[in-house]
Amino acid sequence: MNKLIIFALISSTILVGCSLKEANAKMSKENKQFTHSKKTLAIIKDDSLPEVDNRPIFQPKATISISPITFQSTNASITTEELKENVSEIRYHIWRKADGPESIKTFSSTDPANDFSFLFDTNEFSRKRGEYQVEAYAVQEDGLEKLLAKSTLTFQQHVPILMYHAIDEYNGLGLRELFVSPANFEEQMRYLKDHGYTFLTFERWGEINKVNKPVLVTFDDGMKNNLNAFWILQKLQDETFHPAATEYVIAGSIDNSPSQLSSADIKEMVDSGIFSIQSHTMSHADLPKVTNFEEELESSKEKIEQVTGRPVIAIAYPFGHVDPAVVEETKKYYQYATTTQPGEFIETGEPDEMLLMKRVRISNSTTINQFAAAVQSW
């Protein structure tokens, strides 16, 4: 019986080996210089990589170069250069980081004269933007793949930064359009949850191009009724949905007005892990008209940090008013600043753009269809 089992195993090995040889022979007959497939079952060849603490350390054997792209680009030319060995075919493994390695696709080039170049287009991934992982593998004569180089390719995502003020029923006092009813706010947040948006705050800005459908939910003025938004987001939170929001508070109003959030309110919101508390100046000053920038910008930051115990890195300009002098003062204390200029934000490389971020205003009259159109990012 043992002899029969051994014979069967040897036969299976021979058959598998024949299948691999046939597959490799078929690949070698491919005449196209550029091909791709949606999935890969690649066999990776490991060249006894050096290790640190029993972990292999990758040593690049080439350089991946990516053509300059603008914030509007939907494609880019990728090449592999500075090869340290002769290669006849390179296979690129590419996946979108927000979708994970399971979304991997392979692209092959047999064009050494042009550094194995090919034009990568986001159409391959349903035009989805964001950061892509790019790996170049040399295809060996035996069909095995050997990793040569790694890089990333980023197509900047559009980010709707939503702007709210009061989350309450309008009672006749103040501007009607600044009030969004709790029912409407909940419907809007459920829409974002159901459609796969990722809620971020400025502390997590570095994740903007690594997640699906990034969105920032912001509130100006630190109104007491924003607790309604806090409670709604708490209700929507579950094991797979993690809401986040940013409250811009007027530092001088903390514990000084019954209509404004108190220190206790702020601490509860921060401790929940849902809210980030940021600055709206000390007195809601019209910044282009003031000279006491240290009080309005620095002192407000310090006071909020004393209440929350967390760094304050962002500010919303009161009334949305800003000029070059205000930007110069603001950058001394903050990394991010939002305006009331309408539109989704996207990094373009312009000077001081992180201190002039656009927002999407959500008002009393905003319907759910208008809301859906306003947050559409591709």
Side-chain angles (χ1 to χ4, degrees):
M1 179 65 69
N2 289 337
K3 291 182 178 179
L4 289 174
I5 293 173
I6 293 171
F7 177 76
L9 290 172
I10 293 173
S11 300
S12 298
T13 303
I14 293 171
L15 288 173
V16 171
C18 290
S19 297
L20 287 173
K21 289 179 181 177
E22 290 173 3
N24 292 335
K26 185 177 181 180
M27 289 172 62
S28 67
K29 293 179 181 178
E30 177 61 64
N31 293 321
K32 296 180 180 178
Q33 289 189 334
F34 163 70
T35 60
H36 77 275
S37 60
K38 290 186 177 180
K39 296 182 179 179
T40 181
L41 297 175
I43 303 172
I44 309 302
K45 184 177 180 181
D46 188 356
D47 270 0
S48 299
L49 300 176
E51 295 184 351
V52 174
D53 296 330
N54 295 320
R55 291 178 297 176
I57 303 300
F58 173 63
Q59 301 291 320
K61 300 174 180 64
T63 301
I64 294 175
S65 294
I66 299 170
S67 67
I69 60 175
T70 71
F71 71 95
Q72 297 172 318
S73 297
T74 60
N75 56 49
S77 177
I78 301 177
T79 58
T80 299
E81 304 169 3
E82 301 177 0
L83 286 158
K84 298 179 180 178
E85 57 188 80
N86 291 327
V87 176
S88 60
E89 179 182 357
I90 284 182
R91 192 168 294 154
Y92 296 95
H93 294 194
I94 300 179
W95 68 90
R96 184 169 173 267
K97 289 191 173 180
D99 298 328
E102 58 270 23
S103 67
I104 191 170
K105 295 185 180 183
T106 60
F107 306 82
S108 294
S109 176
T110 55
D111 189 10
N114 291 301
D115 296 319
F116 299 96
S117 67
F118 82 96
L119 186 66
F120 173 72
D121 198 301
T122 55
N123 278 322
E124 296 289 345
F125 289 82
S126 303
R127 298 187 67 82
K128 291 182 179 180
R129 304 181 69 83
E131 184 173 310
Y132 285 82
Q133 179 72 18
V134 181
E135 296 181 351
Y137 291 81
V139 181
Q140 307 296 287
E141 290 183 0
D142 56 6
L144 300 182
E145 295 181 352
K146 183 170 68 175
L147 180 59
L148 298 176
K150 300 179 181 181
S151 187
T152 57
L153 169 59
T154 300
F155 297 92
Q156 294 292 339
Q157 295 207 80
H158 295 263
V159 185
I161 304 176
L162 308 185
M163 177 174 60
Y164 292 92
H165 288 80
I167 306 301
D168 206 352
E169 301 293 344
Y170 180 63
N171 60 8
L173 299 176
L175 298 175
R176 177 187 291 273
E177 284 299 283
L178 294 183
F179 286 76
V180 173
S181 71
N184 284 349
F185 179 76
E186 181 171 348
E187 183 181 27
Q188 292 161 5
M189 295 303 101
R190 284 190 182 278
Y191 176 90
L192 296 176
K193 176 181 178 179
D194 294 343
H195 287 79
Y197 283 81
T198 302
F199 287 51
L200 297 176
T201 59
F202 290 104
E203 291 88 343
R204 296 175 59 194
W205 187 262
E207 300 175 40
I208 286 294
N209 290 300
K210 296 179 174 66
V211 301
N212 276 314
K213 298 183 178 181
V215 63
L216 274 73
V217 180
T218 69
F219 302 84
D220 286 12
D221 301 333
M223 296 184 184
K224 190 84 167 181
N225 55 40
N226 286 174
L227 288 172
N228 290 325
F230 173 45
W231 297 326
I232 289 169
L233 292 174
Q234 278 186 314
K235 181 172 69 172
L236 294 177
Q237 188 172 19
D238 57 33
E239 292 182 357
T240 59
F241 177 65
H242 307 286
T246 298
E247 183 77 46
Y248 291 116
V249 299
I250 303 168
S253 297
I254 299 174
D255 295 327
N256 287 326
S257 171
S259 65
Q260 304 294 116
L261 293 169
S262 66
S263 294
D265 296 330
I266 290 171
K267 289 177 181 177
E268 181 183 5
M269 294 165 78
V270 170
D271 290 344
S272 72
I274 294 176
F275 267 84
S276 167
I277 307 299
Q278 301 297 318
S279 176
H280 204 30
T281 71
M282 182 63 78
S283 67
H284 202 267
D286 191 351
L287 291 175
K289 298 180 180 180
V290 306
T291 57
N292 60 332
F293 288 114
E294 288 188 4
E295 172 71 8
E296 293 296 342
L297 300 177
E298 184 179 23
S299 296
S300 63
K301 169 185 167 72
E302 292 175 348
K303 180 173 181 178
I304 296 166
E305 289 176 341
Q306 289 172 359
V307 174
T308 65
R310 310 287 177 86
V312 172
I313 59 175
I315 188 171
Y317 300 117
F319 314 105
H321 294 172
V322 60
D323 62 19
V326 171
V327 170
E328 288 303 308
E329 292 296 326
T330 300
K331 69 172 62 174
K332 296 178 182 178
Y333 313 107
Y334 302 93
Q335 299 175 44
Y336 308 95
T338 52
T339 69
T340 57
Q341 288 296 309
E344 292 183 337
F345 179 80
I346 183 171
E347 291 189 52
T348 65
E350 292 294 319
D352 298 324
E353 62 183 343
M354 307 307 286
L355 298 171
L356 295 165
M357 303 174 89
K358 296 179 179 180
R359 286 193 286 177
V360 177
R361 182 186 295 272
I362 308 300
S363 306
N364 181 277
S365 60
T366 302
T367 67
I368 192 60
N369 288 335
Q370 290 172 332
F371 180 85
V375 298
Q376 184 67 37
S377 52
W378 64 64

